[in-house]
Amino acid sequence: MSETWRQFWHLLKRDVPAFIALIWLVLTVILCTWGYFTVQTASLRQNLNMRLIPPGTSHGLAYLLGTDGLGRSYVERLLVAGATSLVIAASVVAISAVIGGALGIISGNAPSAVDTVIMRVCDVIMAFPSMLLALIALYTISTSPVVLIGVLAFTRLPIYIRTARGEALRTRGLLYISAARMSGTRPMAVTFRHIVRAALPAVWTLVTFEIALTMLTESGLSFLGVGIQPPGASWGLLVSDGQTYLYSSWWVAVLPGIAIMATAVALRVLGGVVSSVLEG
């Protein structure tokens, strides 16, 4: 593990964009976490006399990025919304990656009957557009964050299952894995020590894409009225709400959009470094 960390920092020091990406992600997580626990109540405070103040006006640090249509501090709104978006995206990806990755490795190493059942279930899930499936489930069950996370995680399972299964099929016949089995190493030990490790780079690369995709999916669901509901906030919901003021008060929609884009790009850039380390 210490060797892996040394290699990671060695690559990071030579890759300026990845280092900047790491700084952005660390600052985003720290500030959004701090905002969620300290200014959540303040972010709901309305002041119609200060509605739609542009960024950079001299009204104090809390109004550095202006206000929204109800006069709420946009700095505070972005921090609280960012915490919600990050928690939802991280939860969805963690659940789907762990469950999907495990099922994929099982499918790649199991008898053909088990493999067939798992893959047919994947085909059934993928037969429905993920957004449509999420819409139906959320309209039918509930629009609570817990249900939202569960539905989004369920719709993303097949891609992790297929990715992990492909890596398991690719590696299970390699000479060093065959040698480990012939030497008497237990099947579970071979799986965790070799096959899971071999699948990690591909799964991690997928994770960096999926976090960004989850944020965008949540944004679309919020726009359709089945995502995060007021008085809650997420970056996606802020983008959706800000479309009303896009031509007159651009920052209301553009700033959360920039936050989503910057976070997605940072994850992708940093994910490339992590994948290189895991493959090495």
Side-chain angles (χ1 to χ4, degrees):
M1 182 61 72
S2 58
E3 179 60 31
T4 301
W5 277 109
R6 279 197 295 269
Q7 187 179 358
F8 173 74
W9 287 112
H10 178 69
L11 291 175
L12 198 63
K13 287 187 291 186
R14 294 191 303 171
D15 192 333
V16 176
F19 189 74
I20 294 173
L22 178 63
I23 293 174
W24 168 264
L25 291 174
V26 170
L27 287 177
T28 299
V29 171
I30 291 174
L31 290 175
C32 289
T33 303
W34 173 82
Y36 183 82
F37 287 107
T38 58
V39 299
Q40 186 173 18
T41 302
S43 69
L44 299 174
R45 191 176 299 122
Q46 303 177 13
N47 185 352
L48 296 181
N49 292 324
M50 299 185 67
R51 64 188 303 270
L52 299 177
I53 294 176
T57 53
S58 56
H59 291 278
L61 184 62
Y63 298 98
L64 180 65
L65 298 179
T67 60
D68 64 4
L70 296 175
R72 296 173 291 193
S73 165
Y74 222 51
V75 170
E76 297 169 349
R77 295 289 289 169
L78 283 171
L79 292 178
V80 174
T84 303
S85 293
L86 292 174
V87 168
I88 289 176
S91 300
V92 169
V93 170
I95 293 170
S96 54
V98 171
I99 297 177
L103 289 174
I105 290 174
I106 291 172
S107 178
N109 290 278
S112 59
V114 177
D115 181 33
T116 300
V117 170
I118 293 176
M119 297 314 297
R120 294 298 77 78
V121 172
C122 284
D123 292 340
V124 170
I125 297 174
M126 295 184 71
F128 297 92
S130 58
M131 181 68 82
L132 178 60
L133 189 60
L135 275 172
I136 294 173
L138 290 169
Y139 269 123
T140 304
I141 304 172
S142 170
T143 57
S144 69
V146 174
V147 175
L148 175 63
I149 290 171
V151 168
L152 292 180
F154 177 77
T155 61
R156 305 312 299 167
L157 280 178
I159 190 169
Y160 288 100
I161 293 174
R162 288 177 174 271
T163 300
R165 176 180 179 271
E167 291 299 307
L169 292 174
R170 180 182 66 84
T171 57
R172 73 178 183 180
L174 296 178
L175 288 177
Y176 73 93
I177 292 181
S178 299
R181 285 172 175 158
M182 292 177 64
S183 66
T185 305
R186 290 179 300 175
M188 288 296 292
V190 173
T191 299
F192 283 101
R193 190 178 302 167
H194 300 294
I195 297 178
V196 172
R197 182 179 178 85
L200 277 177
V203 173
W204 175 260
T205 302
L206 184 60
V207 162
T208 58
F209 283 111
E210 287 291 300
I211 290 180
L213 180 62
T214 300
M215 289 183 178
L216 295 174
T217 303
E218 183 273 318
S219 174
L221 292 172
S222 296
F223 177 76
L224 296 172
V226 293
I228 299 299
Q229 302 295 309
S234 69
W235 282 339
L237 182 60
L238 295 186
V239 171
S240 300
D241 290 345
Q243 292 185 66
T244 305
Y245 310 101
L246 189 57
Y247 294 104
S248 60
S249 306
W250 57 268
W251 63 91
V252 182
V254 170
L255 291 181
I258 291 175
I260 294 173
M261 181 190 68
T263 303
V265 171
L267 284 165
R268 183 66 190 93
V269 171
L270 192 61
V273 176
V274 176
S275 295
S276 299
V277 173
L278 292 174
E279 289 173 353

